[in-house]
Amino acid sequence: MIWHAVALTEDVAVGGVLPIEIDGQELVLWRSASGELAACDARCPHQWAHLGPGGAVDGEELVCLSHFWRFAIDGTASKLAMNGRRDDKGSVRTHQVRESDGGIEVAITTD
Ligand code: FES
C-alpha cells in the first residue's frame, strides 16, 4: 500500500469537500459533520457528475447535487424519498485516508 500526501488537515473543514488527483485518478476528500474524514472516487456512479464542485456534505453523507444520491463514509449509496424511504443505489469506491501532524494521506484502493 502506498500512501500519498494530498492535503493539509486545514484544507478539509467540517462539511468541506476537496477535489484531489493521485496518479491521474480523480478523488474527493470530504469531512462529515462529526469530523470524520473520508476519501472516495470523484465521479458519481449515477451519471458521472464530479463530487468536488457538484457535491455537498449533509450530516454524515456526501450528497451528489445532480440527482441527490447520498454516499456514506463507507461508500454505500442511497436516495432519500420525500416520504423518508431510502432506496439503495450504486456505491462509490472509497480509499483509505489518515491524518497526522496536520497532513492528510490517501492510499488508493485497487480493484
Ligand atoms: S450524477 Fe450523481 S446522482 Fe446523478
Side-chain angles (χ1 to χ4, degrees):
M1 178 184 311
I2 300 171
W3 289 95
H4 301 267
V6 293
L8 300 175
T9 291
E10 65 195 40
D11 294 335
V12 192
V14 168
V17 183
L18 179 70
I20 61 170
E21 190 173 310
I22 299 175
D23 296 336
Q25 296 186 63
E26 297 177 308
L27 277 64
V28 292
L29 297 173
W30 60 281
R31 196 181 298 276
S32 75
S34 69
E36 192 165 350
L37 184 63
C40 65
D41 286 350
R43 295 291 172 173
C44 176
H46 181 218
Q47 290 184 359
W48 224 236
H50 197 295
L51 295 169
V57 174
D58 182 27
E60 300 304 300
E61 297 174 311
L62 176 62
V63 180
C64 179
L65 298 175
S66 291
H67 312 97
F68 303 106
W69 284 22
R70 308 174 69 88
F71 302 96
I73 287 170
D74 68 1
T76 57
S78 61
K79 187 167 183 179
L80 194 55
M82 293 283 285
N83 63 7
R85 186 189 75 225
R86 270 187 187 265
D87 297 320
D88 292 341
K89 299 295 181 184
S91 299
V92 69
R93 183 175 65 152
T94 59
H95 307 278
Q96 292 190 56
V97 60
R98 66 184 183 188
E99 292 183 276
S100 65
D101 298 327
I104 297 173
E105 296 180 320
V106 171
I108 296 281
T109 300
T110 54
D111 294 325

